[in-house]
Amino acid sequence: MFNFILLLLLQILTIVKSQLLTPSPSVRTLHSSIYVGKKLYIFGGFRDPLTDTIESTYNQSPNDRFFYLDVSRPFDTSTLPWTAIPDNEKTLFLNLFSSVLSGGVAASYGGEKNDTIYFINNENTTSPSVLTFNTSDNSWLKYSSISVERPIGRNQMRPITDYNGKIYLLAGFPFTTIQDVTRNQGGMFIFDTIELSCVLKDAIDGMLRVEYSATLLPNGIIVYMGGKDPKGPDGKPVADGFRIVYLYNTIDNTWKPQPTFGDSTPNGDNGISSVLGLDGFRIIVFGGHNIDNKMKRSTLKRRDHTANVIGRYMVITFGSDPNLKFDYKQNGENDVILNDTFAGRTSGHCISNLISEFGLINRSIQPIREIVRRESADIAKTFKETQPSMKRSGHTANVIGKYMVIAFGSGPNFNFEYKEKGEADVLLLDISNSLNYVWTDHFSPDAVIPPQSSSPQPTIATSTVATTITTSMAQSSSPQPSPPQLNITIKIIQEL
């Protein structure tokens, strides 16, 4: 009996071991990551300058093109549980997907049970418009035609699935529809994964961009920020990518440009990712392409100003440096500075050039022009010692449990030096405490998430790795019919 049990255990261990990827997956950028059923699926991406031959080389290893991270069990980032998909080498027809040279694909989840991954090819292919992977039984289907309009997906787009099984694909570049109509201003494809139909809507002026971030809020609004000019690989970041964000209402198909406020707004950047914070009031933005993109901070001491305490704020107005110089205006700073005395935060240093946090606050009709900086020495020390050594662009980010899970990505010019520095392909940011984000190497699927505040709290931001948006609307599992007025503030943590 003992021998039988031992043999059974050995067989189970052999099966489990055979599913793990050996060797580990290749580094990559501009891939897709889709979280379904305690599995983080990774598809595509590339690690070399684009040529017409790299696709055939990549496709020789199907298990390196489509696989998943098993997040059903604890792990450390030093030993990531990358797992092969059963029969992947037999069932994954990589020749049916748009090549990375032509723009790749976009992927998101959907279907009646939200357990199916939809791969949307781009317009530069004769392959089926959509391919689907059912995560329940690992089966594939292909759809050569979609009702009404053929959707377009590229690896520089950030698809969003809403609460009703619709995937929103912002095509921020000129394209030609299946009806041979040229759309120089791009557009929004809305792909219904349940009805297998798609419609094309106009995008607001100013949305010609790729490598932007997109985040769905609990009220059905998608927040778009950042991105770069779609013309060529050397397109410049949108200059006002963080100074003006764009709100798309999925309920009534309306757009609204929304200025952000604060005296330390970061410059535009691309290759960023974003997730909704656990309290539903924050958007955390990670990464970016511009390694020098750090938020500006006030370096000018002001004299002969005035200061008053109004509510929880110390309100500082005007002032100058010696010799009647007003250089703060040239630095883009406001005449009025607000310091949040209630939160114990005054002007100080920034923790990191990696993490930014934006606040969407429905507190008054007037814009909230404030910036709050975190000054805690303990928190600064934590970030300084544990944060990643380099910014990554072209990565992906998902919220799994209490973690922001960041996968792969690179620096400029296919720089994957993080590997040489001993960093993992996956970064874990514990976002359970909105006042103290913590980089960690350990993932626990059963980690307890502390109760989140039911009202907006002061938010924090740093340069381009993480951004947070705070809103006073109540969370719900479905969009609300009347989204509230949103005002945005940027709050910064600056580098020591």
Side-chain angles (χ1 to χ4, degrees):
M1 183 66 178
F2 174 78
N3 290 336
F4 173 76
I5 294 175
L6 181 61
L7 179 61
L8 181 61
L9 289 174
L10 288 174
Q11 288 177 335
I12 293 174
L13 290 174
T14 300
I15 293 173
V16 171
K17 185 177 180 180
S18 66
Q19 291 178 340
L20 297 179
L21 287 180
T22 305
S24 298
S26 303
V27 294
R28 67 199 62 216
T29 185
L30 287 180
H31 54 284
S32 298
S33 70
I34 311 95
Y35 176 51
V36 180
K38 297 189 180 299
K39 298 176 182 178
L40 182 64
Y41 290 89
I42 305 292
F43 178 83
F46 55 97
R47 59 186 179 275
D48 306 290
L50 295 179
T51 67
D52 57 2
T53 60
I54 65 170
E55 199 80 23
S56 59
T57 302
Y58 290 166
N59 289 352
Q60 293 177 11
S61 305
N63 284 339
D64 194 56
R65 303 306 289 153
F66 189 41
F67 51 92
Y68 67 87
L69 182 70
D70 184 357
V71 294
S72 66
R73 55 194 178 98
F75 62 83
D76 289 321
T77 54
S78 60
T79 53
L80 293 166
W82 295 119
T83 309
I85 296 170
D87 298 323
N88 200 35
E89 296 184 350
K90 297 179 181 178
T91 60
L92 181 60
F93 296 102
L94 289 168
N95 61 317
L96 296 181
F97 294 88
S98 296
S99 68
V100 292
L101 182 62
S102 70
V105 306
S108 191
Y109 65 91
E112 293 184 355
K113 297 181 180 180
N114 280 335
D115 62 352
T116 299
I117 300 175
Y118 291 77
F119 298 89
I120 298 127
N121 278 322
N122 64 50
E123 72 278 22
N124 303 312
T125 182
T126 58
S127 297
S129 177
V130 175
L131 296 101
T132 65
F133 176 76
N134 189 314
T135 62
S136 298
D137 59 13
N138 299 325
S139 63
W140 286 91
L141 290 175
K142 57 183 179 181
Y143 298 92
S144 297
S145 62
I146 299 296
S147 176
V148 186
E149 184 69 59
R150 173 176 178 151
I152 290 177
R154 292 188 186 179
N155 54 21
Q156 292 177 301
M157 301 165 64
R158 289 290 177 260
I160 289 289
T161 300
D162 72 359
Y163 308 103
N164 300 308
K166 294 180 180 179
I167 298 176
Y168 293 80
L169 299 137
L170 174 62
F173 47 84
F175 61 87
T176 301
T177 68
I178 195 173
Q179 292 84 11
D180 202 31
V181 176
T182 299
R183 309 238 338 172
N184 292 320
Q185 298 304 312
M188 175 74 83
F189 290 95
I190 306 174
F191 174 42
D192 189 326
T193 63
I194 298 175
E195 300 296 332
L196 287 177
S197 64
C198 181
V199 295
L200 176 59
K201 301 291 186 179
D202 292 333
I204 193 173
D205 291 342
M207 289 308 294
L208 278 179
R209 62 185 70 191
V210 293
E211 296 186 20
Y212 49 80
S213 78
T215 311
L216 179 66
L217 301 183
N219 66 344
I221 287 178
I222 303 175
V223 180
Y224 292 94
M225 65 177 72
K228 72 170 186 176
D229 189 313
K231 298 176 183 177
D234 299 323
K236 295 182 179 180
V238 178
D240 60 356
F242 293 118
R243 295 181 179 91
I244 299 177
V245 302
Y246 289 86
L247 311 179
Y248 176 74
N249 191 326
T250 62
I251 301 171
D252 59 13
N253 184 44
T254 56
W255 286 90
K256 178 184 177 182
Q258 178 68 63
T260 60
F261 300 94
D263 59 4
S264 294
T265 307
N267 296 322
D269 211 344
N270 58 284
I272 59 179
S273 66
S274 62
V275 300
L276 185 66
L278 297 180
D279 60 5
F281 303 134
R282 309 163 193 271
I283 294 176
I284 307 170
V285 177
F286 177 90
H289 182 79
N290 184 0
I291 60 175
D292 296 321
N293 187 19
K294 299 180 181 180
M295 293 183 174
K296 298 178 181 179
R297 61 187 176 93
S298 176
T299 58
L300 175 67
K301 290 180 65 175
R302 302 188 194 182
R303 56 179 292 180
D304 298 328
H305 55 273
T306 60
N308 301 84
V309 174
I310 303 176
R312 61 189 283 174
Y313 300 100
M314 179 180 180
V315 181
I316 302 167
T317 56
F318 298 102
S320 72
D321 68 351
N323 303 318
L324 294 178
K325 289 186 178 181
F326 300 89
D327 289 343
Y328 72 86
K329 298 290 286 186
Q330 298 176 9
N331 294 336
E333 298 175 17
N334 296 322
D335 293 321
V336 176
I337 298 175
L338 300 184
N339 284 341
D340 190 339
T341 59
F342 179 80
R345 298 192 179 100
T346 59
S347 58
H349 295 291
C350 195
I351 288 179
S352 162
N353 74 329
L354 297 180
I355 300 202
S356 307
E357 205 175 55
F358 293 80
L360 271 173
I361 305 178
N362 177 26
R363 190 166 62 187
S364 67
I365 297 177
Q366 298 298 321
I368 304 170
R369 300 174 183 269
E370 62 176 307
I371 175 163
V372 181
R373 298 189 181 99
R374 185 186 292 176
E375 204 177 36
S376 166
D378 292 337
I379 295 175
K381 183 174 183 291
T382 299
F383 266 79
K384 201 70 175 178
E385 292 179 350
T386 62
Q387 72 177 21
S389 63
M390 61 178 282
K391 289 177 67 173
R392 303 186 192 183
S393 67
H395 57 275
T396 57
N398 300 78
V399 172
I400 303 177
K402 70 173 186 176
Y403 306 96
M404 180 179 182
V405 180
I406 299 155
F408 297 103
S410 74
N413 302 316
F414 301 98
N415 175 0
F416 298 96
E417 290 182 357
Y418 71 85
K419 297 287 286 187
E420 300 174 7
K421 296 177 180 179
E423 292 180 6
D425 293 318
V426 170
L427 301 173
L428 300 175
L429 183 65
D430 183 341
I431 59 173
S432 58
N433 181 354
S434 60
L435 296 180
N436 187 11
Y437 296 151
V438 177
W439 293 106
T440 179
D441 296 328
H442 181 73
F443 177 90
S444 174
D446 301 320
V448 176
I449 301 176
Q452 302 297 304
S453 173
S454 60
S455 61
Q457 300 296 319
T459 58
I460 306 150
T462 67
S463 179
T464 274
V465 170
T467 301
T468 300
I469 294 183
T470 305
T471 169
S472 63
M473 55 194 165
Q475 295 190 60
S476 66
S477 59
S478 60
Q480 301 298 316
S482 301
Q485 174 72 28
L486 299 176
N487 293 317
I488 301 173
T489 58
I490 299 180
K491 307 181 182 183
I492 312 299
I493 308 171
Q494 304 224 345
E495 189 173 23
L496 289 171

